[in-house]
Amino acid sequence: MRTTHSVTNMKLQAQLQKVCDDWINSMDDPMLRALAMSWLLDSIQSELIPHVSGVRVAAVRQLRMQGFTLAEIAAELGLSRARIDMIAKA
């Protein structure tokens, strides 16, 4: 491996959870919370997943251009070499 990353899945999940909890806790009205959560779920499916996937594709392509092998990227991301190849070609 060429890099050591300080951000782990657990740390990232905790940070995202805190942002979400702070947002939810700012809503006193249960109807507003229910509407907000419906919007969030819809947004994740229709907008956030495609956006995040695109960011990952761009990052994997950039890593490949920097000389990282498929195996190195796969090991860092916890994915198979074949999956990294598919992502890079997306």
Side-chain angles (χ1 to χ4, degrees):
M1 297 305 145
R2 295 184 186 182
T3 60
T4 302
H5 301 286
S6 61
V7 176
T8 65
N9 287 342
M10 291 173 62
K11 285 182 184 177
L12 182 58
Q13 183 178 357
Q15 290 171 345
L16 290 173
Q17 185 70 46
K18 179 166 180 1
V19 169
C20 192
D21 286 346
D22 289 347
W23 180 52
I24 293 165
N25 292 333
S26 72
M27 299 175 216
D28 294 330
D29 180 357
M31 184 62 77
L32 179 59
R33 281 195 310 271
L35 287 168
M37 294 308 101
S38 292
W39 170 82
L40 180 59
L41 289 169
D42 290 344
S43 179
I44 287 170
Q45 292 173 346
S46 66
E47 297 172 25
L48 192 56
I49 289 174
H51 174 72
V52 171
S53 294
V55 171
R56 182 173 70 172
V57 166
V60 167
R61 288 178 181 166
Q62 185 176 5
L63 289 167
R64 292 290 288 143
M65 288 183 355
Q66 290 176 358
F68 283 84
T69 66
L70 294 173
E72 288 172 324
I73 299 168
E76 285 285 335
L77 298 185
L79 299 172
S80 71
R81 185 189 160 289
R83 181 69 183 122
I84 296 301
D85 192 38
M86 287 190 300
I87 291 168
K89 293 177 180 174

